[in-house]
Amino acid sequence: MRYAATIIGTGCAFPKSRVTNDDIVDRLEKDNISTNDQWIRERTGIRERRFSDIENPDEHNSSLGVAAAKQALAMAGRTPADIDQIIYATCTPDTLIPSTACWLQHKLEAPQAWAMDINAACSGFIYGLATADKFIQSGQTRTALVVGAEVLNPFINWRDRGSCIIFGDGAGAVVVERTDADAPARILSSHLLSDGNLWELLYIPAGGSRKEVTPGRFSKNLHKIRMYGKEIFKVAVRTLAEFATRSLESNGFTIDDIDWFIPHQANYRIIEAVAKRLHCPMEKVVVNVDRYGNTSAATIPTALDEAVRDGRIQKGQLILLDSFGAGLTYGAILMRW
């Protein structure tokens, strides 16, 4: 028996606190760094983002994941007891041990599921969805919950205005279920790649077993994000376009055939540049980076959920998901809704 995977429910969740560009500017000015709202918008397209209150248990990474998962389950008409597998994409886990997937399983009360985290940074949701697809195709999984969630604000380097203006917190989730191999609505293909040679473009130096966060390293901000924006921009535009093209060509489609393009929401200028390179009109591109910033593994599932709930995405439409992230990691998924 041959199987395919289809998404039957979506959900998203964000912290309550809205952080505008003016709020960012106020914080930066304390360090005498000159910037303003216009400077941020011109370079990123971002006007606000959400930050979790890390002292509030309802805004922990796993808690945002639970809220998004409950929405996805409600749309799917499923309960936590129906879940066989939980895949949680995040690079900002609640704890190193246990996994955030296990925290979510505990909070969601999904007793039949086995749970694991995936750390592919901003590509994490694509990696997670591709993994669920393969388990479903193999027959080992019937119903999977895939979550992409981040609480990035504790890792923001406020001494680097090139990166601190970009990130936000949030969570997105999908319920993926087994269907017939030739069903109209299904994941058509996934395409993944990594290039560890480019690790220095985006990383956090300390905090793992390689470098403990000592007082000296803390004072040097080695537990915060380091990003090289100009180099990331070039690689992102090239690889997003390449993986979009690879995904379409492998299924016999062109960019004209897709109804919606949902790229990783890193920066509006990157999204525009990729769309231009692909000759894809911006009217077909789903964008939410202006309101939420770069939420890493959460950007694609939250944008997907918004487009489903507001009616843009309709049954039978062709959807292309496309990502890049720290590692560096890349991935694209083509699906029929």
Side-chain angles (χ1 to χ4, degrees), residues 281-308:
M282 285 300 294
E283 291 77 18
K284 286 187 175 184
V285 183
V286 178
V287 176
N288 70 1
V289 69
D290 56 318
R291 289 168 288 123
Y292 299 115
N294 179 353
T295 55
S296 186
T299 70
I300 289 176
T302 59
L304 174 65
D305 178 61
E306 287 191 332
V308 169

Side-chain angles (χ1 to χ4, degrees), residues 36 53 72 306:
N36 55 49
D53 175 1
E306 287 191 332

Side-chain angles (χ1 to χ4, degrees), residues 24-51:
I24 298 291
V25 170
D26 288 343
R27 182 159 184 171
L28 288 174
E29 284 181 343
K30 294 176 182 178
D31 293 326
N32 297 315
I33 299 174
S34 176
T35 189
N36 55 49
D37 172 67
Q38 181 180 354
W39 186 88
I40 296 173
R41 291 195 190 206
E42 287 176 352
R43 283 156 180 78
T44 68
I46 299 168
R47 53 185 171 85
E48 65 179 33
R49 72 287 290 149
R50 304 288 184 91
F51 280 177

